[in-house]
Amino acid sequence: MSDEDHDFTQHEQHGTLTYPTPAGALKKGGYVCINNRPCKVIDLSVSKTGKHGHAKVSIVATDIFTGNRLEDQAPSTHNVEAPFVKTATYSVIDIQPNEDSSQPDHLSLMTEEGESREDLDLPPDATLAAQIKEQFEAGKEVNVVVVSAMGIEQVLSFKNATQN
């Protein structure tokens, strides 16, 4: 079997999006991957060392992007995958309706350096999307907080820019 017969892209890509960390080193508010989803740890508990010599860490976390609650267990000395998580804030320049009305509207964003981005949509959370749109249409300067992890990039919150 030659290298051409294998698809390495998924594994390689996944490897650069996460890093190993000991399960015993996780903390509340930290990040972990559960079921290949980036999650924020909301609760941890460590059981006593069992007859096989490993304390188990029980992890309760919420998916960063969907808010779904996920649980996992791992021996405290074993490594678990943790996602690289980046947060960036952008100014909303414009909101264009999507040609497909079932899809979220497109955002035109500007970085602090003055570069524009046209590749993000309003968030799938209808309430958050409506709040952003309402503030923008009211003429307020709106900044969105974009979180990226494991190849997913999404607006997770917003704030009105402070007027000096």
Side-chain angles (χ1 to χ4, degrees):
M1 220 179 220
S2 71
D3 286 348
E4 294 169 10
D5 296 334
H6 297 291
D7 181 14
F8 292 107
T9 54
Q10 182 63 31
H11 180 69
E12 289 170 7
Q13 184 181 22
H14 181 70
T16 60
L17 302 175
T18 64
Y19 61 94
T21 186
L26 292 174
K27 300 199 178 338
K28 283 185 186 181
Y31 297 102
V32 66
C33 294
I34 300 178
N35 299 336
N36 282 330
R37 296 291 302 169
C39 299
K40 188 168 193 170
V41 177
I42 55 173
D43 193 29
L44 289 169
S45 60
V46 181
S47 67
K48 292 184 179 177
T49 304
K51 65 180 181 177
H52 297 293
H54 292 289
K56 285 231 190 268
V57 178
S58 293
I59 307 160
V60 179
T62 55
D63 187 302
I64 295 172
F65 299 113
T66 66
N68 293 339
R69 181 183 164 112
L70 298 165
E71 297 182 20
D72 198 7
Q73 279 192 337
S76 64
T77 56
H78 288 201
N79 282 344
V80 294
E81 291 297 311
F84 288 107
V85 178
K86 289 190 219 161
T87 304
T89 303
Y90 299 96
S91 299
V92 177
I93 303 168
D94 195 17
I95 300 174
Q96 301 97 18
N98 194 321
E99 291 173 12
D100 179 353
S101 60
S102 67
Q103 297 296 315
D105 292 345
H106 299 295
L107 292 171
S108 288
L109 305 173
M110 185 181 299
T111 66
E112 288 182 11
E113 294 79 32
E115 296 177 28
S116 64
R117 285 193 65 177
E118 304 284 333
D119 59 339
L120 286 172
D121 292 334
L122 280 172
D125 177 341
T127 305
L128 179 59
Q131 290 172 337
I132 293 169
K133 203 168 180 177
E134 178 184 310
Q135 293 292 310
F136 181 76
E137 289 172 351
K140 297 189 175 158
E141 191 174 329
V142 179
N143 290 333
V144 291
V145 178
V146 177
V147 175
S148 56
M150 297 181 70
I152 303 169
E153 202 168 26
Q154 186 176 307
V155 175
L156 290 188
S157 64
F158 79 98
K159 53 192 170 196
N160 288 332
T162 55
Q163 304 293 331
N164 292 341

